[in-house]
Amino acid sequence: MRRFDYHRAETLEHASRLLAELGDDTFLFNGGTDLLVEIRERLRRVRNVVDIKQIPGLSDITYDETRGLTFGALVTVGRLERLPLVCQRYPNLRAAFASLGSIQVRNRATVVGNICRASPSADTIPPLVADGAFVHIYSRTNMRVVPIAEFFTGPGRTVLAKGEIVTGITVPPAGDTAGKAYIKHGRRKAMELSTVGVAVSLSMEEGVCCDIRIALGAVGATVLRAPQAEAMLRGTRLDASAVRSAADKAMEECTPISNVRASADYRRDMVGVLTGRAIKQALETFA
């Protein structure tokens, strides 16, 4: 492993100042499940590591019916996976958390770390996009809130400027009329990167779809929405014909590539299959 300098930040201001002053080869250390592997395998040039695990407030989880679920940057995937509130109100997030890596990884990795990695195949991103989540960002001169769908600018790239730190994520409240699902497809059932991931969040009223969001993972430079497919389903009763037509439209809206895990054509076909299944699974909430 290459040598690097270790810095422990006591406050957000301290961490932000270190990021701004130490240069481009400076990275935050939180769960470290990606960072330490990349340092060891010499995949990333790292001269400074800033440990934020001692900063107060970043381990908090709160929920209220108006604002929704908010969790800090230090909250692990495993902790949220086991939270009864998540299991009951956010089954899409629960499915994504349970499919991320191994139990050991989930007990170290954080959701904020996973989104800041900005991988198009990340499991946590599609359900957060489908739920309309927001990212809280801190710097010494400003605090801002960004819709998660606007947080990513490309593979491994985000809107974060120098010295900015993601402090947490807020997911809007899940009402009684909400249905949610996330389905991941990979070559294995566990400890596998997503070949395709589809998340659906919808609301129904008197049997009619009031709103729906469809998020597609691993089939574009960033996690994609399928706005045309969504528009086809709003105001309908989501019968088999409507769902099938929307799933076909979602296939047209994605932009997959071919790589060692799957061809572009296969990924596109799986978008159609998984979109239909995810909508059906979300609708089972109302059965």
Side-chain angles (χ1 to χ4, degrees):
M1 182 177 287
R2 288 183 175 138
R3 293 179 62 86
F4 57 83
D5 290 332
Y6 170 86
H7 310 264
R8 189 171 77 174
E10 303 294 340
T11 64
L12 284 170
E13 191 280 334
H14 185 199
S16 178
R17 177 164 49 82
L18 288 170
L19 285 176
E21 294 176 355
L22 291 175
D24 292 337
D25 297 334
T26 302
F27 296 90
L28 294 180
F29 178 66
N30 194 353
T33 53
D34 278 333
L35 180 63
L36 292 179
V37 171
E38 292 178 347
I39 294 173
R40 185 183 63 208
E41 300 297 328
R42 298 176 180 265
L43 298 175
R44 186 185 296 198
R45 183 181 178 88
V46 178
R47 290 183 176 175
N48 297 280
V49 168
V50 178
D51 188 337
I52 63 171
K53 294 195 295 295
Q54 304 303 315
I55 297 176
L58 297 185
S59 296
D60 295 346
I61 301 175
T62 62
Y63 181 83
D64 66 62
E65 297 295 339
T66 301
R67 190 181 187 198
L69 173 68
T70 299
F71 52 89
L74 296 177
V75 176
T76 65
V77 174
R79 184 179 168 197
L80 286 167
E81 176 191 358
R82 296 185 293 270
L83 193 68
L85 173 71
V86 171
C87 298
Q88 294 163 8
R89 292 183 174 264
Y90 301 95
N92 53 343
L93 290 175
R94 170 63 173 75
F97 297 155
S99 68
L100 192 153
S102 65
I103 292 174
Q104 294 87 342
V105 167
R106 296 198 294 274
N107 284 336
R108 289 285 302 178
T110 64
V111 179
V112 166
N114 192 241
I115 70 154
C116 287
R117 188 73 173 79
S119 170
S121 61
D123 287 309
T124 64
I125 298 175
L128 289 171
V129 169
D131 278 354
F134 295 90
V135 179
H136 301 269
I137 301 173
Y138 169 91
S139 74
R140 288 179 294 164
T141 58
N142 186 35
M143 296 180 66
R144 58 186 178 129
V145 179
V146 176
I148 195 167
E150 301 172 13
F151 182 70
F152 310 99
T153 59
R157 301 196 304 274
T158 70
V159 299
L160 290 176
K162 196 169 185 178
E164 287 191 319
I165 299 169
V166 175
T167 59
I169 296 172
T170 293
V171 189
D176 295 335
T177 62
K180 300 174 183 294
Y182 173 67
I183 301 178
K184 169 183 178 176
H185 176 64
R187 295 173 298 180
R188 300 180 303 192
K189 291 186 177 180
M191 297 180 65
E192 172 69 323
L193 293 173
S194 175
T195 300
V196 177
V198 175
V200 169
S201 182
L202 58 83
S203 60
M204 302 286 289
E205 189 171 316
E206 298 181 353
V208 174
C209 176
C210 302
D211 192 22
I212 184 169
R213 294 188 183 95
I214 302 169
L216 312 175
V219 290
T222 62
V223 171
L224 306 172
R225 287 276 297 276
Q228 295 179 53
E230 295 168 357
M232 292 174 65
L233 295 174
R234 291 191 185 99
T236 75
R237 293 191 173 274
L238 300 186
D239 58 31
S241 176
V243 171
R244 185 164 52 250
S245 296
D248 290 342
K249 179 59 67 174
M251 292 171 59
E252 298 175 10
E253 295 187 81
C254 65
T255 56
I257 62 170
S258 297
N259 61 16
V260 295
R261 283 181 288 164
S263 68
D265 288 341
Y266 179 79
R267 281 191 164 100
R268 189 174 290 107
D269 288 343
M270 288 307 301
V271 163
V273 172
L274 297 186
T275 298
R277 289 179 183 174
I279 294 171
K280 181 180 178 181
Q281 191 176 110
L283 283 171
E284 290 174 356
T285 306
F286 309 101

